[in-house]
């Protein structure tokens, strides 16, 4: 509920403080007194886009502050929480407009953007009038209005869920197709490379092992000839044979040398033992260094093959095994791609079917709600002297989306046989006002309270019993909430629970607008003025008292 509105230096308002009440609040006054300025100022603090020049002439800046009561569960609390703003039972909006056009807004003393103010305003205030494109006249919101009337939140949530699943399934299918196409483009390369790598079967660390073996065999090849010559020199054809013959000769002569050869024979025997040990070591070395030349060729061939494939695939030789696994996996993905693609296509078909079923159920529910809404509006139009008018909620096909496959528009036909058209294009000013009022009465019965409703001259073009019917419906709307109505109708004004008169005053060359709360005598005089004009007659006062008496 809007509790207070404080306006300073806006257009022709110097300073104005208003304290609004629950129920039906009426604002009256002569044409040009400044009633529309009040709405412009309220729209300014709510972040609505309106007049560019709002600051009172001569002032440095204009300022508007609005105070709202927020009961528990009010949707504005969710907006505050999402925006990281302090909440509570009271909401204070303040916005300043400097003379050079800069606008700054605050919510509970926290600076905010105009967008945050507009989001809050959607939960706080509804403006209904002949030029209101934010409310029921704007066809963009007709589908949401119908869904709210029909209590279709669960059906809409199911459609949104199905739409999300559908989008995910389609995205997965697109990605699967793209991946398969990319793999298909290199299929020949993959199959050749995988076969080549599998045939070679590279192992981690194999490059270093082969290189060491190759170097060893190359080194052995160079020194083995020298070792073999040394082995031959130590063998029977060399030192071993010569020493053996010498020992045999000395042993044959020792008996005749009177012992003088005993020591040389013993030394030579020891030398023969050492020589034998040396020969065995050289032979062992030759055996250890022995290799088949074909082993060197095989080793070099595999080493060069490993390094050649590494260069071909731009990886290190030790990474060939891992690279082979990657290419094999890609090839397996290609082979399994068709099956996966078929699975993705089945998933899309199932998701489409789920969405279509949910959307069809929502369409059916909307059609049922539309029929109920049309009947309810028709019942409201009769007391408003529009019993021959036809209100129709038109539901047409629309592109599939998260809210279903329906486009919704409220249409009217004001005369029998006349074609139906958009609400804001067919009805005249007075008819439009009554259509809006009838529609709002029906919607409020289903949607409950919590929003301050403002009706800007919604009774224009009607009078007498019709104006009385308009007033009674406004009063019914305000019974459990708050309604502000700017009116020129005495019948409507008489039904208000609270009454303010907007006045324009001229002091010198300065024009200002003010608002006066009316007590019962002043209220009687204001309604009499509305009935008779500038000259208030006794008959007008009597008529005013009758209206106020109900």
């Amino acid at each position: 509920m809007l509790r207070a509105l404080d306006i300073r230096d806006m257009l022709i308002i110097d300073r104005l403080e208003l304290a609004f009440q629950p129920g039906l609040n009426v604002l009256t006054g002569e044409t040009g007194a400044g009633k529309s300025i009040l709405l412009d100022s309220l729209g300014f603090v709510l972040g609505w886009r309106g007049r560019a020049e709002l600051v009172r002439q001569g002032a440095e800046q204009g300022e508007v502050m609005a105070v709202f009561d927020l009961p528990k569960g009010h949707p504005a609390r969710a907006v505050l929480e999402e925006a990281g703003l302090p909440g509570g039972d009271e909401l204070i909006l303040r916005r300043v407009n400097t003379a050079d056009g800069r606008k700054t807004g605050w919510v509970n003393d926290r600076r905010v953007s105009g967008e945050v103010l507009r989001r809050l305003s959607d939960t706080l205030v509804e403006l209904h009038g002949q030029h209101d494109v934010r409310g029921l006249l704007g066809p963009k919101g007709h589908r949401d209005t119908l869904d709210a009337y029909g209590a279709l939140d669960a059906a809409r949530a199911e459609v949104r869920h199905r739409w999300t699943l559908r989008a995910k399934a389609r995205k997965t299918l697109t990605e699967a197709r793209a991946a398969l196409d990319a793999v298909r483009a290199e299929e020949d390369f993959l199959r050749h490379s995988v076969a080549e790598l599998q045939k070679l079967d590279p192992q981690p660390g194999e490059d270093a092992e082969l290189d060491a073996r190759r170097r060893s065999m190359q080194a052995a090849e160079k020194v083995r000839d020298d070792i073999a010559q040394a082995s031959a020199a130590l063998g029977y054809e060399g030192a071993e044979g010569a020493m053996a013959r010498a020992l045999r000769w000395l042993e044959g002569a020792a008996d005749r040398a009177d012992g003088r050869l005993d020591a040389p024979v013993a030394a030579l025997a020891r030398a023969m033992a050492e020589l034998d040990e040396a020969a065995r070591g050289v032979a062992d070395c030759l055996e250890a260094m022995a290799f088949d030349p074909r082993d060197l060729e095989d080793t070099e061939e595999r080493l060069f093959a490993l390094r050649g494939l590494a260069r071909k695939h731009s990886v290190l030789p030790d990474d060939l095994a891992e690279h082979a696994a990657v290419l094999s996996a890609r090839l397996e993905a290609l082979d399994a791609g068709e099956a996966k693609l078929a699975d993705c296509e089945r998933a899309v078909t199932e998701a489409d079917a789920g969405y279509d079923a949910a959307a069809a159920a929502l369409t059916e529910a909307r059609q049922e709600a539309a029929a109920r809404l049309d009947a309810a509006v028709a019942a409201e139009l009769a007391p408003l002297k529009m019993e021959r008018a036809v209100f129709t909620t038109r539901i047409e096909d629309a592109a599939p989306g998260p809210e279903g496959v329906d486009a919704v528009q409220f249409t009217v036909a004001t005369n029998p046989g006349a074609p139906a058209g958009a609400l804001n294009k067919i009805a005249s000013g007075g008819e439009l006002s009554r259509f809006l009022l009838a529609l709002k009465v029906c919607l409020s019965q289903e949607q409950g309270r919590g929003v301050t409703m403002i009706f800007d001259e919604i009774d224009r073009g009607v009078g007498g019993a019709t104006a009385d019917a308009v007033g009674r419906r406004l009063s019914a709307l305000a019974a459990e909430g708050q309604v502000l109505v700017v009116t020129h109708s005495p019948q409507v004004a008489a039904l208000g629970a609270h009454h303010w008169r907007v006045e324009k005053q001229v002091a010198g060359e300065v024009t200002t607008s003010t608002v006066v709360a009316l007590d019962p005598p002043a209220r009687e005089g204001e309604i009499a003025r509305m009935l008779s004009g500038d000259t208030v007659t006794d008959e007008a006062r009597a008529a005013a008292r009758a209206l106020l008496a109900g």
Side-chain angles (χ1 to χ4, degrees), residues 49 146 319 395:
R49 295 179 176 87
L146 176 63
D319 295 334
I395 300 177

Side-chain angles (χ1 to χ4, degrees), residues 210-221 296 299 307:
L210 289 173
D211 187 61
R213 188 189 307 169
R214 171 174 171 257
R215 292 177 184 276
S216 175
M217 286 189 287
Q218 286 176 335
E221 190 176 32
L296 177 59
T299 300
R307 292 179 173 178

Side-chain angles (χ1 to χ4, degrees), residues 126-129 132-142 145 436:
E126 288 183 1
L127 173 63
H128 303 287
D132 173 30
V133 296
R134 293 175 56 86
L136 297 177
L137 293 187
K140 291 183 178 179
H142 289 180
T145 300
L436 288 174

Side-chain angles (χ1 to χ4, degrees), residues 52-62 96-102:
E53 301 295 333
L54 289 171
V55 181
R56 186 171 65 87
Q57 186 174 4
E60 294 183 358
Q61 66 178 35
V96 171
N97 192 171
T98 61
D100 59 5
R102 288 182 292 113

